[in-house]
Amino acid sequence: MARLKLTADNYYSQEANMAYMSASQFKAFRKCEAAAMAELRGELPRKETTALLVGSYVDAHFSGELDQYREAHPEIFKKDGSLKADFQNAEKVIQRIEEDELARMLLSGKNQVIKTAKIGGVWFKVKFDSLLTARQVESICKKFPQIRELVPFGGAIIVDLKCMRDLDDVWDKDAGEYVTFAEFWGYDIQGAIYQAADKRNAPFVIVAVTKEEEPDVDALHIPDDDLSFSLSEVEDLAPRYDAIKRGEISPVGCGKCAYCRSIKRLSGVRHYKQVRW
């Protein structure tokens, strides 16, 4: 059977999500297999939080789709037609990026490019925020010579835009230590998948901007060695997650997330000092 052909209209559809793995889907499975499958089956609708809406608002500006986004989301406006406070702040975030020449140039590549690739025998879909051509990268290097370190022999660069609360390190309870926000949110996993789908081994760069009252902006490179390590994890786990999607393996719940708490049923009484999981 022919695999679903992806378009801008069906990219986020349930059919596309069942036909393809994605970076966000992979990370959801890694967090909790049971919750990930419940979401795919429509039993756990994904909540459009204000934070997600703000990030999408900023993405829409740089993809040239802001007018369509505003029309599709009347909830971002007040009764008088003006933007609600969070989206007025999103305008500040956009302005902050536009005022920074390097950030603006990094996001000037081809937007919302859809590609697919097999990783670990599993089909993945990706949508790039900014794919810079070798010519565009060369122009950036002339203005900002330090970028040459990423592409000593020339070539393309993959750029992803992230709207963050802040750029501070994050406490990882499982690891018992602070890690970078990029590691905590799995952007190394995303970069590995994107690089594999691009097939040119192009450097992966994050343009991160904060939603603080005075937005901060930064450009971060995740080295190829780190991406290779993350890609190995994707190749190892993707076949299991794909088998779960096909119903061949039962998903395992993490026992900690909101979904697992919602389906929890008591089967006995535990000692009060017994570890919960």
Tab-separated table of all heavy atoms in Angstrom, residues 61-112:
chain	number	residue	atom	x	y	z
A	61	HIS	N	4.784	33.853	11.930
A	61	HIS	CA	5.354	35.100	11.405
A	61	HIS	C	6.508	34.800	10.453
A	61	HIS	O	6.577	35.340	9.348
A	61	HIS	CB	5.844	35.985	12.545
A	61	HIS	CG	6.677	37.145	12.082
A	61	HIS	ND1	6.133	38.323	11.610
A	61	HIS	CD2	8.037	37.301	11.973
A	61	HIS	CE1	7.100	39.152	11.249
A	61	HIS	NE2	8.264	38.550	11.463
A	62	PHE	N	7.410	33.927	10.887
A	62	PHE	CA	8.610	33.671	10.090
A	62	PHE	C	8.353	32.732	8.908
A	62	PHE	O	9.184	32.644	8.003
A	62	PHE	CB	9.729	33.138	10.995
A	62	PHE	CG	10.307	34.199	11.883
A	62	PHE	CD1	9.904	34.315	13.200
A	62	PHE	CD2	11.211	35.125	11.393
A	62	PHE	CE1	10.400	35.313	14.022
A	62	PHE	CE2	11.711	36.135	12.195
A	62	PHE	CZ	11.305	36.231	13.513
A	63	SER	N	7.209	32.073	8.902
A	63	SER	CA	6.848	31.255	7.740
A	63	SER	C	5.939	32.027	6.783
A	63	SER	O	5.516	31.492	5.758
A	63	SER	CB	6.163	29.960	8.185
A	63	SER	OG	4.919	30.233	8.810
A	64	GLY	N	5.630	33.277	7.136
A	64	GLY	CA	4.770	34.101	6.287
A	64	GLY	C	3.306	33.726	6.348
A	64	GLY	O	2.543	34.030	5.427
A	65	GLU	N	2.894	33.062	7.432
A	65	GLU	CA	1.517	32.584	7.546
A	65	GLU	C	0.781	33.216	8.722
A	65	GLU	O	-0.202	32.668	9.207
A	65	GLU	CB	1.517	31.059	7.709
A	65	GLU	CG	2.164	30.316	6.551
A	65	GLU	CD	2.387	28.836	6.841
A	65	GLU	OE1	2.781	28.507	7.973
A	65	GLU	OE2	2.169	28.022	5.929
A	66	LEU	N	1.245	34.382	9.180
A	66	LEU	CA	0.658	34.978	10.371
A	66	LEU	C	-0.793	35.402	10.163
A	66	LEU	O	-1.626	35.225	11.057
A	66	LEU	CB	1.493	36.179	10.831
A	66	LEU	CG	1.120	36.774	12.190
A	66	LEU	CD1	1.099	35.714	13.281
A	66	LEU	CD2	2.091	37.886	12.563
A	67	ASP	N	-1.117	35.927	8.996
A	67	ASP	CA	-2.504	36.334	8.733
A	67	ASP	C	-3.445	35.142	8.830
A	67	ASP	O	-4.527	35.225	9.433
A	67	ASP	CB	-2.622	36.987	7.355
A	67	ASP	CG	-1.985	38.370	7.309
A	67	ASP	OD1	-1.770	38.957	8.394
A	67	ASP	OD2	-1.691	38.852	6.196
A	68	GLN	N	-3.037	34.015	8.236
A	68	GLN	CA	-3.864	32.807	8.291
A	68	GLN	C	-3.982	32.296	9.729
A	68	GLN	O	-5.044	31.830	10.149
A	68	GLN	CB	-3.274	31.706	7.401
A	68	GLN	CG	-3.211	32.064	5.929
A	68	GLN	CD	-1.855	32.633	5.527
A	68	GLN	OE1	-1.377	33.592	6.127
A	68	GLN	NE2	-1.248	32.029	4.514
A	69	TYR	N	-2.876	32.405	10.472
A	69	TYR	CA	-2.874	31.934	11.857
A	69	TYR	C	-3.836	32.761	12.704
A	69	TYR	O	-4.618	32.222	13.494
A	69	TYR	CB	-1.460	32.012	12.444
A	69	TYR	CG	-1.386	31.469	13.858
A	69	TYR	CD1	-1.232	30.108	14.095
A	69	TYR	CD2	-1.501	32.321	14.957
A	69	TYR	CE1	-1.193	29.601	15.385
A	69	TYR	CE2	-1.465	31.826	16.250
A	69	TYR	CZ	-1.309	30.465	16.451
A	69	TYR	OH	-1.283	29.972	17.736
A	70	ARG	N	-3.789	34.073	12.526
A	70	ARG	CA	-4.693	34.947	13.287
A	70	ARG	C	-6.156	34.640	12.970
A	70	ARG	O	-7.008	34.627	13.856
A	70	ARG	CB	-4.381	36.410	12.962
A	70	ARG	CG	-3.094	36.928	13.589
A	70	ARG	CD	-2.878	38.383	13.210
A	70	ARG	NE	-1.812	38.989	13.977
A	70	ARG	CZ	-1.464	40.274	13.874
A	70	ARG	NH1	-2.106	41.061	13.030
A	70	ARG	NH2	-0.486	40.764	14.621
A	71	GLU	N	-6.421	34.383	11.703
A	71	GLU	CA	-7.793	34.081	11.293
A	71	GLU	C	-8.274	32.763	11.885
A	71	GLU	O	-9.445	32.622	12.251
A	71	GLU	CB	-7.873	34.034	9.765
A	71	GLU	CG	-9.281	33.878	9.225
A	71	GLU	CD	-9.337	33.930	7.703
A	71	GLU	OE1	-8.361	34.418	7.090
A	71	GLU	OE2	-10.346	33.486	7.142
A	72	ALA	N	-7.358	31.800	11.998
A	72	ALA	CA	-7.722	30.472	12.500
A	72	ALA	C	-7.813	30.417	14.025
A	72	ALA	O	-8.345	29.453	14.579
A	72	ALA	CB	-6.704	29.441	12.008
A	73	HIS	N	-7.311	31.456	14.700
A	73	HIS	CA	-7.288	31.442	16.173
A	73	HIS	C	-7.867	32.735	16.740
A	73	HIS	O	-7.150	33.573	17.294
A	73	HIS	CB	-5.850	31.237	16.669
A	73	HIS	CG	-5.281	29.905	16.339
A	73	HIS	ND1	-5.509	28.776	17.099
A	73	HIS	CD2	-4.505	29.498	15.297
A	73	HIS	CE1	-4.904	27.746	16.557
A	73	HIS	NE2	-4.291	28.153	15.469
A	74	PRO	N	-9.193	32.886	16.657
A	74	PRO	CA	-9.830	34.100	17.190
A	74	PRO	C	-9.677	34.230	18.699
A	74	PRO	O	-9.834	35.325	19.248
A	74	PRO	CB	-11.303	33.917	16.784
A	74	PRO	CG	-11.480	32.443	16.605
A	74	PRO	CD	-10.170	31.955	16.061
A	75	GLU	N	-9.316	33.116	19.373
A	75	GLU	CA	-9.199	33.150	20.827
A	75	GLU	C	-8.001	33.973	21.314
A	75	GLU	O	-7.885	34.263	22.509
A	75	GLU	CB	-9.096	31.722	21.394
A	75	GLU	CG	-7.837	30.948	21.052
A	75	GLU	CD	-7.913	30.187	19.743
A	75	GLU	OE1	-8.726	30.571	18.875
A	75	GLU	OE2	-7.147	29.233	19.579
A	76	ILE	N	-7.098	34.360	20.413
A	76	ILE	CA	-5.941	35.146	20.831
A	76	ILE	C	-6.269	36.646	20.919
A	76	ILE	O	-5.424	37.434	21.340
A	76	ILE	CB	-4.735	34.927	19.887
A	76	ILE	CG1	-4.969	35.573	18.520
A	76	ILE	CG2	-4.432	33.448	19.735
A	76	ILE	CD1	-3.777	35.457	17.583
A	77	PHE	N	-7.507	37.001	20.535
A	77	PHE	CA	-7.908	38.407	20.547
A	77	PHE	C	-8.872	38.706	21.697
A	77	PHE	O	-9.658	37.848	22.113
A	77	PHE	CB	-8.595	38.773	19.230
A	77	PHE	CG	-7.694	38.720	18.031
A	77	PHE	CD1	-7.710	37.606	17.190
A	77	PHE	CD2	-6.823	39.759	17.742
A	77	PHE	CE1	-6.880	37.539	16.087
A	77	PHE	CE2	-6.005	39.698	16.633
A	77	PHE	CZ	-6.024	38.599	15.803
A	78	LYS	N	-8.819	39.938	22.178
A	78	LYS	CA	-9.785	40.424	23.158
A	78	LYS	C	-11.049	40.876	22.429
A	78	LYS	O	-11.078	40.939	21.196
A	78	LYS	CB	-9.176	41.585	23.954
A	78	LYS	CG	-7.998	41.164	24.825
A	78	LYS	CD	-7.529	42.265	25.738
A	78	LYS	CE	-6.732	43.320	24.998
A	78	LYS	NZ	-6.085	44.296	25.906
A	79	LYS	N	-12.082	41.230	23.179
A	79	LYS	CA	-13.362	41.631	22.582
A	79	LYS	C	-13.229	42.883	21.718
A	79	LYS	O	-13.974	43.062	20.753
A	79	LYS	CB	-14.398	41.856	23.684
A	79	LYS	CG	-14.860	40.571	24.354
A	79	LYS	CD	-15.932	40.840	25.397
A	79	LYS	CE	-16.396	39.539	26.039
A	79	LYS	NZ	-17.436	39.782	27.085
A	80	ASP	N	-12.263	43.751	22.071
A	80	ASP	CA	-12.100	44.987	21.291
A	80	ASP	C	-11.255	44.781	20.035
A	80	ASP	O	-10.964	45.728	19.308
A	80	ASP	CB	-11.499	46.100	22.156
A	80	ASP	CG	-10.085	45.772	22.644
A	80	ASP	OD1	-9.537	44.722	22.247
A	80	ASP	OD2	-9.529	46.571	23.428
A	81	GLY	N	-10.842	43.524	19.765
A	81	GLY	CA	-10.085	43.216	18.557
A	81	GLY	C	-8.581	43.290	18.720
A	81	GLY	O	-7.839	42.924	17.804
A	82	SER	N	-8.106	43.739	19.872
A	82	SER	CA	-6.663	43.802	20.109
A	82	SER	C	-6.153	42.455	20.615
A	82	SER	O	-6.928	41.622	21.114
A	82	SER	CB	-6.329	44.891	21.126
A	82	SER	OG	-6.943	44.604	22.366
A	83	LEU	N	-4.869	42.233	20.480
A	83	LEU	CA	-4.281	40.977	20.926
A	83	LEU	C	-4.269	40.880	22.442
A	83	LEU	O	-4.070	41.880	23.142
A	83	LEU	CB	-2.837	40.864	20.410
A	83	LEU	CG	-2.641	40.570	18.924
A	83	LEU	CD1	-1.184	40.810	18.537
A	83	LEU	CD2	-3.051	39.133	18.592
A	84	LYS	N	-4.482	39.675	22.945
A	84	LYS	CA	-4.347	39.444	24.377
A	84	LYS	C	-2.888	39.635	24.780
A	84	LYS	O	-1.983	39.600	23.939
A	84	LYS	CB	-4.827	38.036	24.736
A	84	LYS	CG	-6.327	37.846	24.586
A	84	LYS	CD	-6.762	36.433	24.966
A	84	LYS	CE	-8.272	36.264	24.839
A	84	LYS	NZ	-8.711	34.879	25.154
A	85	ALA	N	-2.646	39.811	26.078
A	85	ALA	CA	-1.326	40.181	26.589
A	85	ALA	C	-0.220	39.222	26.137
A	85	ALA	O	0.865	39.659	25.736
A	85	ALA	CB	-1.365	40.264	28.113
A	86	ASP	N	-0.486	37.909	26.181
A	86	ASP	CA	0.555	36.936	25.797
A	86	ASP	C	0.970	37.097	24.338
A	86	ASP	O	2.132	36.862	23.989
A	86	ASP	CB	0.050	35.511	26.032
A	86	ASP	CG	-0.028	35.161	27.514
A	86	ASP	OD1	0.993	35.267	28.198
A	86	ASP	OD2	-1.126	34.793	27.978
A	87	PHE	N	0.042	37.511	23.497
A	87	PHE	CA	0.346	37.622	22.071
A	87	PHE	C	0.887	39.012	21.722
A	87	PHE	O	1.596	39.163	20.722
A	87	PHE	CB	-0.887	37.237	21.264
A	87	PHE	CG	-1.298	35.825	21.537
A	87	PHE	CD1	-2.241	35.536	22.521
A	87	PHE	CD2	-0.679	34.779	20.883
A	87	PHE	CE1	-2.575	34.233	22.809
A	87	PHE	CE2	-1.008	33.461	21.166
A	87	PHE	CZ	-1.957	33.183	22.138
A	88	GLN	N	0.586	39.992	22.565
A	88	GLN	CA	1.297	41.262	22.450
A	88	GLN	C	2.764	41.041	22.771
A	88	GLN	O	3.650	41.604	22.120
A	88	GLN	CB	0.687	42.299	23.405
A	88	GLN	CG	-0.694	42.782	23.006
A	88	GLN	CD	-1.255	43.788	23.987
A	88	GLN	OE1	-0.522	44.456	24.713
A	88	GLN	NE2	-2.574	43.906	24.021
A	89	ASN	N	3.013	40.170	23.769
A	89	ASN	CA	4.398	39.825	24.099
A	89	ASN	C	5.047	39.036	22.962
A	89	ASN	O	6.243	39.174	22.699
A	89	ASN	CB	4.452	39.017	25.390
A	89	ASN	CG	5.870	38.859	25.914
A	89	ASN	OD1	6.518	39.839	26.249
A	89	ASN	ND2	6.354	37.634	25.974
A	90	ALA	N	4.245	38.213	22.274
A	90	ALA	CA	4.773	37.472	21.129
A	90	ALA	C	5.256	38.430	20.039
A	90	ALA	O	6.249	38.156	19.350
A	90	ALA	CB	3.699	36.534	20.568
A	91	GLU	N	4.554	39.549	19.890
A	91	GLU	CA	4.997	40.568	18.933
A	91	GLU	C	6.357	41.131	19.352
A	91	GLU	O	7.212	41.419	18.504
A	91	GLU	CB	3.964	41.687	18.844
A	91	GLU	CG	2.656	41.297	18.166
A	91	GLU	CD	2.805	41.192	16.655
A	91	GLU	OE1	3.838	41.619	16.113
A	91	GLU	OE2	1.876	40.665	16.002
A	92	LYS	N	6.579	41.273	20.662
A	92	LYS	CA	7.881	41.731	21.165
A	92	LYS	C	8.962	40.697	20.870
A	92	LYS	O	10.098	41.046	20.536
A	92	LYS	CB	7.809	41.999	22.663
A	92	LYS	CG	7.017	43.234	23.062
A	92	LYS	CD	6.931	43.382	24.565
A	92	LYS	CE	8.307	43.553	25.202
A	92	LYS	NZ	8.186	43.765	26.663
A	93	VAL	N	8.591	39.426	21.007
A	93	VAL	CA	9.526	38.339	20.708
A	93	VAL	C	9.936	38.390	19.240
A	93	VAL	O	11.131	38.284	18.897
A	93	VAL	CB	8.884	36.972	21.049
A	93	VAL	CG1	9.731	35.825	20.502
A	93	VAL	CG2	8.712	36.831	22.558
A	94	ILE	N	8.964	38.574	18.371
A	94	ILE	CA	9.236	38.671	16.928
A	94	ILE	C	10.139	39.863	16.636
A	94	ILE	O	11.117	39.750	15.888
A	94	ILE	CB	7.910	38.783	16.151
A	94	ILE	CG1	7.147	37.448	16.219
A	94	ILE	CG2	8.162	39.192	14.703
A	94	ILE	CD1	5.719	37.530	15.729
A	95	GLN	N	9.821	40.989	17.243
A	95	GLN	CA	10.623	42.192	17.030
A	95	GLN	C	12.063	41.990	17.503
A	95	GLN	O	13.005	42.442	16.860
A	95	GLN	CB	10.000	43.372	17.769
A	95	GLN	CG	10.739	44.695	17.548
A	95	GLN	CD	10.084	45.846	18.296
A	95	GLN	OE1	9.070	45.669	18.972
A	95	GLN	NE2	10.680	47.022	18.199
A	96	ARG	N	12.199	41.265	18.634
A	96	ARG	CA	13.549	41.008	19.172
A	96	ARG	C	14.383	40.217	18.162
A	96	ARG	O	15.569	40.500	17.965
A	96	ARG	CB	13.429	40.222	20.485
A	96	ARG	CG	14.772	39.908	21.149
A	96	ARG	CD	15.430	41.180	21.646
A	96	ARG	NE	16.738	40.909	22.231
A	96	ARG	CZ	17.877	40.891	21.541
A	96	ARG	NH1	17.851	41.112	20.210
A	96	ARG	NH2	19.022	40.659	22.126
A	97	ILE	N	13.765	39.230	17.530
A	97	ILE	CA	14.492	38.448	16.535
A	97	ILE	C	14.803	39.298	15.308
A	97	ILE	O	15.918	39.266	14.780
A	97	ILE	CB	13.673	37.205	16.119
A	97	ILE	CG1	13.471	36.271	17.313
A	97	ILE	CG2	14.360	36.456	14.975
A	97	ILE	CD1	12.535	35.112	17.032
A	98	GLU	N	13.820	40.059	14.856
A	98	GLU	CA	13.999	40.885	13.661
A	98	GLU	C	15.104	41.922	13.850
A	98	GLU	O	15.781	42.309	12.894
A	98	GLU	CB	12.688	41.585	13.303
A	98	GLU	CG	11.575	40.655	12.838
A	98	GLU	CD	11.782	40.131	11.424
A	98	GLU	OE1	12.867	40.341	10.851
A	98	GLU	OE2	10.843	39.503	10.896
A	99	GLU	N	15.299	42.358	15.090
A	99	GLU	CA	16.326	43.367	15.372
A	99	GLU	C	17.732	42.772	15.416
A	99	GLU	O	18.716	43.502	15.351
A	99	GLU	CB	16.025	44.058	16.702
A	99	GLU	CG	14.814	44.985	16.655
A	99	GLU	CD	14.440	45.519	18.014
A	99	GLU	OE1	15.005	45.032	19.033
A	99	GLU	OE2	13.587	46.427	18.077
A	100	ASP	N	17.822	41.451	15.556
A	100	ASP	CA	19.127	40.790	15.620
A	100	ASP	C	19.484	40.255	14.235
A	100	ASP	O	18.818	39.342	13.729
A	100	ASP	CB	19.102	39.651	16.640
A	100	ASP	CG	20.491	39.090	16.901
A	100	ASP	OD1	20.972	38.278	16.072
A	100	ASP	OD2	21.097	39.464	17.918
A	101	GLU	N	20.510	40.796	13.645
A	101	GLU	CA	20.822	40.470	12.249
A	101	GLU	C	21.142	39.002	12.050
A	101	GLU	O	20.677	38.380	11.084
A	101	GLU	CB	21.975	41.338	11.753
A	101	GLU	CG	22.231	41.178	10.263
A	101	GLU	CD	23.300	42.127	9.735
A	101	GLU	OE1	24.033	42.717	10.559
A	101	GLU	OE2	23.396	42.268	8.509
A	102	LEU	N	21.937	38.413	12.943
A	102	LEU	CA	22.298	37.007	12.769
A	102	LEU	C	21.068	36.107	12.915
A	102	LEU	O	20.851	35.209	12.090
A	102	LEU	CB	23.369	36.589	13.769
A	102	LEU	CG	23.783	35.104	13.711
A	102	LEU	CD1	24.233	34.706	12.313
A	102	LEU	CD2	24.871	34.808	14.744
A	103	ALA	N	20.265	36.350	13.943
A	103	ALA	CA	19.056	35.542	14.128
A	103	ALA	C	18.143	35.646	12.911
A	103	ALA	O	17.603	34.648	12.436
A	103	ALA	CB	18.313	35.993	15.388
A	104	ARG	N	18.010	36.857	12.409
A	104	ARG	CA	17.144	37.091	11.243
A	104	ARG	C	17.674	36.353	10.021
A	104	ARG	O	16.904	35.720	9.277
A	104	ARG	CB	17.057	38.591	10.965
A	104	ARG	CG	15.987	38.967	9.958
A	104	ARG	CD	15.836	40.474	9.857
A	104	ARG	NE	17.012	41.123	9.287
A	104	ARG	CZ	17.839	41.917	9.960
A	104	ARG	NH1	17.621	42.166	11.246
A	104	ARG	NH2	18.886	42.475	9.382
A	105	MET	N	18.983	36.381	9.821
A	105	MET	CA	19.572	35.703	8.664
A	105	MET	C	19.461	34.184	8.793
A	105	MET	O	19.209	33.480	7.810
A	105	MET	CB	21.037	36.117	8.502
A	105	MET	CG	21.229	37.583	8.113
A	105	MET	SD	22.975	38.056	7.939
A	105	MET	CE	23.349	37.360	6.303
A	106	LEU	N	19.627	33.674	10.012
A	106	LEU	CA	19.521	32.230	10.222
A	106	LEU	C	18.113	31.718	9.926
A	106	LEU	O	17.934	30.573	9.497
A	106	LEU	CB	19.917	31.868	11.653
A	106	LEU	CG	21.404	31.965	11.990
A	106	LEU	CD1	21.624	31.807	13.490
A	106	LEU	CD2	22.219	30.913	11.225
A	107	LEU	N	17.124	32.565	10.131
A	107	LEU	CA	15.735	32.153	9.903
A	107	LEU	C	15.226	32.544	8.517
A	107	LEU	O	14.030	32.431	8.242
A	107	LEU	CB	14.836	32.772	10.977
A	107	LEU	CG	15.056	32.237	12.401
A	107	LEU	CD1	14.289	33.073	13.411
A	107	LEU	CD2	14.645	30.761	12.492
A	108	SER	N	16.141	32.952	7.647
A	108	SER	CA	15.740	33.420	6.311
A	108	SER	C	15.745	32.318	5.252
A	108	SER	O	15.543	32.590	4.070
A	108	SER	CB	16.665	34.551	5.855
A	108	SER	OG	17.993	34.060	5.652
A	109	GLY	N	15.990	31.081	5.684
A	109	GLY	CA	16.019	29.978	4.724
A	109	GLY	C	14.620	29.583	4.274
A	109	GLY	O	13.631	30.240	4.594
A	110	LYS	N	14.533	28.500	3.529
A	110	LYS	CA	13.238	28.011	3.063
A	110	LYS	C	12.464	27.489	4.268
A	110	LYS	O	12.956	26.669	5.037
A	110	LYS	CB	13.425	26.908	2.023
A	110	LYS	CG	12.164	26.596	1.241
A	110	LYS	CD	12.468	25.685	0.058
A	110	LYS	CE	11.188	25.426	-0.748
A	110	LYS	NZ	11.428	24.518	-1.885
A	111	ASN	N	11.223	27.995	4.449
A	111	ASN	CA	10.437	27.681	5.643
A	111	ASN	C	9.483	26.515	5.431
A	111	ASN	O	8.980	26.289	4.339
A	111	ASN	CB	9.609	28.901	6.069
A	111	ASN	CG	10.461	30.132	6.302
A	111	ASN	OD1	10.258	31.156	5.672
A	111	ASN	ND2	11.418	30.038	7.200
A	112	GLN	N	9.215	25.813	6.549
A	112	GLN	CA	8.187	24.764	6.598
A	112	GLN	C	8.339	23.716	5.501
A	112	GLN	O	7.365	23.284	4.881
A	112	GLN	CB	6.791	25.392	6.563
A	112	GLN	CG	6.546	26.452	7.637
A	112	GLN	CD	6.780	25.938	9.047
A	112	GLN	OE1	6.230	24.924	9.434
A	112	GLN	NE2	7.627	26.631	9.816
